[in-house]
Amino acid sequence: MNSRSSAVLDAQPVLVNANRFRKAHAADWERLETLVKRCEKRSVRALSDDDLIAFPLLYRSALSSLSIARETSLDRALVTYLEQLSTRAYFQIYGVPTSALRQLGRFFAHSWPASVQAIWRETLVALLLTVAGAVVGYLLVANDPGWFFGLMPGEMAQGRDPTATAESLRATLYDSPQDGLATFATFLFTHNAQIAIFAFALGFAFAVPTALLILYNGLMMGAIMAVFSAKGLGFEFAGWLMIHGTTEIFAIILSGAAGIRIGTAIAFPGRESRSDAAMRAGRAGATAMAGAVVMLAIAGLLEGIGRQTVNVDGTRYAIGLAMLAGWIVYFYLPRKKA
Amino acid sequence: MRWPFRRKDRGPKSLRRSFVTPEGVDLQLELGGAGVRAAAFMIDAVAILVVLIILTIIIGLLLVASRSSAMAILWLIGFFILRNGWFVLFEMGGRGATPGKRLLGLRVVARDGARLSGGAVLARNAMREIEVFLPLSFLAAQTAQGMADSFLVIFALSWSGIFLFFPLFNRDRLRVGDLVAGTWVVRTVSGELGADIVGAVERARWNFTDAELSLYGEFELQTLENVLRSGREEAVATVAATIRAKAGMEEPRHYRAGDDFRFLSDYYAALCARLERGMMVGRRRADKNAEVRVRQ
């Protein structure tokens, strides 16, 4: 027996803070944990009214427990547990996005037009690039039809090249199209939408690839315009293009503008920090890009349905111009800040 | 003269980052490591492929049955939504995670602590186009045309390499998409509250002198906590023997199996109480090598 053994018998139970603290608050933490668990499994809507009222209160008390535990307790398990519990509750209270329906409503009512307005300078640049590309493409092909084959990939032209006769070209504009047009319009929509997303994402490389993409898009438009106008079908072709083209080309220009915005924000962040500038441009640009995908879907519908049923040049122009006017009013009409 | 190649002082190597809630408490989030995130992406990629194959088979069967072009349209739209919507829709949901991320305990969070907005989710996933899909589809198209010479392969690989390894070149493991969207991927861990070791000591069997308790600091206390929680007998016996040796205590007679655990629990409780009393008056001791630090 060593000398200390006698002291063993009258030793007192040890008291530390963590011990008392756990006893006092464990019930609250447990309740918060069950609420959080239910939210994580289902959603906040799975909570009853009482629970909904209690949730933020329990969260705050867990947070203050955490602060106290960090300052007064050496029980690592307790601090870790409270950290994890508070974090989970935090994400349920602050981190979760609003409901999909409300987000969608907000997107159409506010975010989309606001993001388009925010990139108006870049939109002008993209428009200029498109126009410049179209003029150059037109002039090149008008002077030397051989250029056409260099500018246009074969599958896009579909026989609409300088060697085609005026009749066959006219037929592509007015003939009731074959069975596959709806499928083709869908293909074009998904293809264009993918291009729009690319144009946005490529902006990250200091906007250069996006600008080239937009320029090339214009070049192709000018080239095919030159083919038709050489056969005296310029006016008719413009009508054929316009019925869905005002929406489609506008969409491509907008997504290009969103990409250019990202690239310039990264290259020239101005007074903001580079990552802040990239983040603001990225979020606004992505919203504009998503809007462009919506526009492309509408353009696909116009192409699939409108082009089949509307054969009169005047009506085609009217629809195309009305769409353009509609977009401009929707985007740029001043509105209250939400 | 300064040695030109001296490395700058780096920040902490760990993946824990301070994240202050509006209530002013630092939650200390842990970021998802590059490996876990890559694994989550692979899981998602496989899931997308499986869904795509199932979708194709179903639509193919329907096409044989109906022979309408509506099926082709359905497939095109389905493919588009699958490719672009999988990540976006799941991350915009309440959990802020795709199935792959959820499985591995990850979550997408806005870096500024605000709600995760639709714009942010769209931005971080649109960037995936240039990180992954662009080099892939480029490579696929070239291979299909039989033109994939070694130069193109090298180009495509190094292009995606820049973006794939981007997360390894910054402290916060940000993808290009995270950078542009202002997001973080953090670990979501949920654990049980471990048993209260001190509370379990109902009646201490050992008393310790001040000298015996002043051997260690907070770091050793928490190491001891881990040993006790793990409950491995050899570890408990080794640590108990070490502490006795260091404190110059003899092994008690009539020592039974399991006494080591009780001895360590008592020592833990006593040390915890002692260090805590110090904390109350602003005296902390980080570890055994540290002097007692008095907060000014």
Side-chain angles (χ1 to χ4, degrees):
Chain A
M1 280 269 171
N2 73 33
S3 59
R4 211 176 292 110
S5 304
S6 57
V8 164
L9 294 173
D10 47 67
Q12 293 300 307
V14 191
L15 276 178
V16 297
N17 269 320
N19 187 236
R20 285 186 294 254
F21 199 55
R22 279 177 183 236
K23 278 195 184 120
H25 296 283
D28 277 357
W29 301 336
E30 255 162 47
R31 181 160 180 220
L32 180 61
E33 195 178 340
T34 51
L35 294 189
V36 169
K37 222 176 244 170
R38 219 180 304 160
C39 285
E40 282 172 346
K41 279 229 176 71
R42 312 253 297 280
S43 81
V44 185
R45 265 156 295 174
L47 299 185
S48 70
D49 286 351
D50 282 352
D51 288 344
L52 266 184
I53 293 168
F55 196 9
L57 299 177
L58 290 169
Y59 158 71
R60 292 216 178 93
S61 89
L63 271 186
S64 69
S65 294
L66 171 63
S67 316
I68 294 167
R70 274 184 182 152
E71 284 305 311
T72 66
S73 161
L74 292 167
D75 186 345
R76 192 65 226 158
L78 177 67
V79 175
T80 313
Y81 170 77
L82 284 175
E83 259 173 13
Q84 291 173 356
L85 182 61
S86 310
T87 305
R88 287 162 71 196
Y90 172 86
F91 286 140
Q92 291 308 321
I93 288 177
Y94 291 101
V96 174
T98 38
S99 80
L101 211 62
R102 188 173 299 172
Q103 273 196 65
L104 211 62
R106 207 180 141 64
F107 172 77
F108 283 109
H110 172 69
S111 326
W112 184 13
S115 65
V116 170
Q117 280 176 24
I119 54 171
W120 67 272
R121 274 192 214 93
E122 289 80 3
T123 311
L124 278 183
V125 171
L127 178 66
L128 273 178
L129 280 172
T130 307
V131 171
V135 169
V136 170
Y138 184 91
L139 290 178
L140 280 177
V141 175
N143 286 329
D144 175 10
W147 272 102
F148 182 85
F149 301 97
L151 291 176
M152 199 71 134
E155 69 266 31
M156 288 279 283
Q158 290 183 311
R160 295 171 296 184
D161 55 47
T163 59
T165 60
E167 272 63 52
S168 69
L169 284 179
R170 178 176 285 277
T172 62
L173 298 185
Y174 294 105
D175 274 7
S176 179
Q178 349 41 342
D179 203 28
L181 186 86
T183 316
F184 185 65
T186 315
F187 168 74
L188 271 189
F189 155 65
T190 55
H191 180 260
N192 286 340
Q194 215 68 65
I195 299 275
I197 298 172
F198 264 142
F200 167 77
L202 280 173
F204 184 76
F206 304 114
V208 176
T210 303
L212 289 177
L213 208 63
I214 297 285
L215 193 69
Y216 180 63
N217 194 46
L219 273 173
M220 288 203 299
M221 250 165 37
I224 199 156
M225 185 74 199
V227 169
F228 279 86
S229 63
K231 300 289 191 305
L233 288 167
F235 178 75
E236 291 83 349
F237 174 75
W240 175 87
L241 184 67
M242 244 174 141
I243 184 166
H244 75 289
T246 48
T247 306
E248 188 176 283
I249 294 162
F250 201 173
I252 297 276
I253 286 175
L254 282 180
S255 60
I260 294 174
R261 177 56 177 271
I262 291 187
T264 46
I266 291 169
F268 314 107
R271 282 160 181 268
E272 283 176 299
S273 83
R274 187 157 272 136
S275 69
D276 280 353
M279 181 187 93
R280 270 161 39 93
R283 289 182 178 176
T287 310
M289 184 270 296
V293 172
V294 173
M295 287 173 83
L296 287 169
I298 294 172
L301 283 179
L302 282 173
E303 187 170 12
I305 300 165
R307 207 189 255 175
Q308 286 186 61
T309 48
V310 182
N311 265 339
V312 187
D313 288 334
T315 323
R316 282 178 170 178
Y317 270 95
I319 294 177
L321 289 174
M323 288 306 295
L324 183 62
W327 289 122
I328 288 175
V329 167
Y330 171 57
F331 289 141
Y332 298 108
L333 206 66
R335 59 189 78 202
K336 273 189 232 141
K337 285 234 187 309
Chain B
M1 203 184 90
R2 231 182 110 159
W3 173 242
F5 299 112
R6 184 153 58 186
R7 287 171 71 172
K8 273 189 228 154
D9 276 342
R10 294 268 176 90
K13 271 275 159 56
S14 94
L15 287 175
R16 280 173 87 79
R17 296 286 180 274
S18 75
F19 184 88
V20 181
T21 71
E23 292 83 4
V25 178
D26 185 355
L27 283 180
Q28 295 270 326
L29 294 185
E30 192 188 343
L31 298 182
V36 193
R37 292 184 58 184
F41 176 72
M42 293 312 287
I43 293 175
D44 282 320
V46 170
I48 291 174
L49 266 182
V50 169
V51 173
L52 183 66
I53 290 170
I54 293 172
L55 180 82
T56 309
I57 291 174
I58 291 175
I59 288 184
L61 291 177
L62 286 175
L63 182 66
V64 172
S66 69
R67 308 207 155 277
S68 86
S69 63
M71 290 304 134
I73 294 176
L74 209 62
W75 189 86
L76 281 169
I77 301 279
F79 178 74
F80 180 78
I81 290 178
L82 206 56
R83 172 171 170 183
N84 296 291
W86 178 276
F87 291 93
V88 173
L89 294 177
F90 277 116
E91 284 176 7
M92 271 161 92
R95 295 182 185 103
T98 58
K101 287 200 184 69
R102 206 171 163 224
L103 213 62
L104 298 180
L106 297 174
R107 176 185 193 107
V108 181
V109 175
R111 274 210 296 283
D112 51 9
R115 240 169 244 282
L116 190 59
S117 69
V121 173
L122 281 167
R124 75 187 299 280
N125 288 303
M127 284 300 153
R128 217 185 288 281
E129 287 293 318
I130 57 168
E131 288 170 72
V132 181
F133 289 124
L134 180 64
L136 270 187
S137 58
F138 184 61
L139 212 60
Q142 299 296 336
T143 320
Q145 290 170 22
M147 282 167 25
D149 58 26
S150 48
F151 171 75
L152 279 173
V153 174
I154 289 168
F155 174 77
L157 284 181
S158 55
W159 167 284
S160 39
I162 291 175
F163 288 106
L164 283 180
F165 294 111
F166 197 88
L168 295 176
F169 296 132
N170 63 80
R171 276 179 67 227
D172 294 339
R173 297 284 173 274
L174 300 182
R175 250 189 341 108
V176 171
D178 287 319
L179 196 79
V180 168
T183 51
W184 259 354
V185 175
V186 300
R187 303 207 65 139
T188 54
V189 240
S190 59
E192 300 283 310
L193 177 54
D196 186 359
I197 298 175
V198 178
V201 180
E202 276 177 5
R203 197 174 169 78
R205 288 163 48 101
W206 275 272
N207 267 347
F208 298 96
T209 61
D210 249 13
E212 284 160 359
L213 290 175
S214 62
L215 288 172
Y216 298 115
E218 287 174 22
F219 175 76
E220 289 76 22
L221 181 78
Q222 274 153 15
T223 315
L224 185 54
E225 184 184 339
N226 288 339
V227 171
L228 285 170
R229 283 190 198 287
S230 77
R232 291 213 324 270
E233 269 179 41
E234 331 81 274
V236 170
T238 318
V239 174
T242 314
I243 290 178
R244 271 196 299 267
K246 194 156 180 189
M249 299 158 75
E250 320 160 20
E251 182 169 320
R253 245 180 291 168
H254 313 301
Y255 206 66
R256 287 186 306 260
D259 272 3
D260 271 338
F261 188 82
R262 227 164 293 149
F263 168 81
L264 273 195
S265 303
D266 283 5
Y267 188 80
Y268 172 85
L271 181 61
C272 190
R274 180 192 153 88
L275 288 173
E276 231 183 56
R277 274 198 300 278
M279 268 168 95
M280 289 298 146
V281 292
R283 271 192 285 175
R284 300 194 72 150
R285 191 177 179 205
D287 60 50
K288 62 180 176 186
N289 301 316
E291 287 305 303
V292 171
R293 186 166 53 83
V294 179
R295 199 147 72 176
Q296 304 292 318

